[in-house]
């Protein structure tokens, strides 16, 4: 490997940027430079701490929204032990990303009437938490909750006003013929739903 290495860790969750950079460091021929691109400040902090532990000089620069460049200046003699990269962990905890996944307009099985009352109470309870979810996903029967006539609309609008992302499956809205009744949040698709769930640190399914 050359003495100047570029590592693309955009979109990678902790500790993958550190893992990739340690692997590049292990393969570096003598002294050199490693430039790692990441998309969040937590990754910058983790790379900075790792660099200091290895005795490397490090600098970072924000290139744009969610785009950072971390540059390690590596002296001679820096070593990475076998398995060290794979064993890397987050020195700075990743930001919590809570996603609530709602697949029905009723909570639990048994009485549908009771289930709908429980779901209404659950969504109200979400508004009262110290930590709000980053995203709420509504699909299948849950799509009814974001549409006109939903008993949860006021609470969902209050959550949206506080920055919670409200997303409803477009295929589900079309299936139930309620697309024109969407009253809060935005329409989404299964690709985005899958991506939001993959990126979540915690998923709650009422």
């Amino acid at each position: 490997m050359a003495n100047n290495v570029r590592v693309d860790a955009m979109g990678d969750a902790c500790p993958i940027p550190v893992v990739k950079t340690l692997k590049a460091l292990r393969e570096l021929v003598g002294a050199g430079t490693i430039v790692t691109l990441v998309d969040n400040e937590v990754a910058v902090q983790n790379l900075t701490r790792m660099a200091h532990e290895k005795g490397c000089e490090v600098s970072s620069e924000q290139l744009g929204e969610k785009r950072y460049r971390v540059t390690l200046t590596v002296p001679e003699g820096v070593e990475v032990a076998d398995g060290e990269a794979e064993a890397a962990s987050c020195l700075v905890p990743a930001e919590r990303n809570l996603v609530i996944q709602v697949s029905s307009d009723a909570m639990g099985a048994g009485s549908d009437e009771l289930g709908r009352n429980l779901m209404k109470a659950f969504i109200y309870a979400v508004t009262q938490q110290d930590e709000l979810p980053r995203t709420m996903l509504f699909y299948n029967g849950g799509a009814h909750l974001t549409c006109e006539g939903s008993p949860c609309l006021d609470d969902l609008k209050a959550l949206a006003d506080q920055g919670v992302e409200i997303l409803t499956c477009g295929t589900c809205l079309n299936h139930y013929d309620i697309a024109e009744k969407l009253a809060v949040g935005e329409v989404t698709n299964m690709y985005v739903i899958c991506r939001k769930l993959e990126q979540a640190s915690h998923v709650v399914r009422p």
Side-chain angles (χ1 to χ4, degrees):
M1 180 173 284
N3 292 76
N4 296 292
V5 183
R6 184 183 178 90
V7 177
D8 186 355
M10 296 289 293
D12 291 330
C14 176
I16 301 303
V18 174
V19 171
K20 287 184 174 180
T21 304
L22 280 171
K23 287 182 177 179
L25 186 59
R26 179 178 172 81
E27 297 174 12
L28 196 67
V29 180
T33 302
I34 299 175
V35 176
T36 303
L37 297 178
V38 295
D39 62 6
N40 63 87
E41 293 184 5
V42 171
V44 173
Q45 294 175 49
N46 277 301
L47 288 167
T48 299
R49 290 198 180 191
M50 182 274 288
H52 287 157
E53 287 185 350
K54 288 295 182 183
C56 303
E57 293 183 9
V58 60
S59 62
S60 60
E61 178 184 3
Q62 183 168 0
L63 304 177
E65 185 177 1
K66 294 185 177 181
R67 186 175 177 82
Y68 303 83
R69 178 171 58 207
V70 181
T71 303
L72 278 68
T73 302
V74 184
E76 292 279 356
V78 174
E79 296 183 355
V80 178
D82 291 342
E84 183 178 350
E86 290 75 10
S89 60
C90 295
L91 301 173
V92 178
E95 184 180 358
R96 183 175 163 92
N97 178 7
L98 173 62
V99 173
I100 295 180
Q101 178 183 356
V102 182
S103 60
S104 173
D105 63 351
M107 188 175 180
S111 166
D112 288 342
E113 180 181 1
L114 174 60
R116 292 189 182 95
N117 288 335
L118 291 174
M119 183 63 78
K120 183 178 186 301
F122 172 82
I123 291 179
Y124 169 75
V126 172
T127 69
Q128 302 303 300
Q129 302 304 303
D130 292 334
E131 179 191 2
L132 297 179
R134 185 177 301 181
T135 303
M136 296 184 72
L137 302 171
F138 295 85
Y139 60 90
N140 208 325
H144 292 283
L145 297 176
T146 57
C147 292
E148 296 173 6
S150 165
C152 303
L153 271 186
D154 288 344
D155 291 329
L156 290 175
K157 287 179 179 178
L159 288 167
D161 288 343
Q162 295 180 76
V164 177
E165 185 178 35
I166 309 292
L167 300 177
T168 304
C169 167
T171 300
C172 306
L173 290 169
N174 291 332
H175 175 82
Y176 290 112
D177 197 23
I178 54 175
E180 295 183 357
K181 296 182 178 181
L182 184 68
V184 60
E186 299 179 356
V187 178
T188 192
N189 55 52
M190 193 52 64
Y191 172 81
V192 173
I193 290 174
C194 181
R195 185 167 164 228
K196 294 292 182 182
L197 291 174
E198 286 179 344
Q199 293 176 341
S201 62
H202 297 78
V203 176
V204 173
R205 303 177 180 87

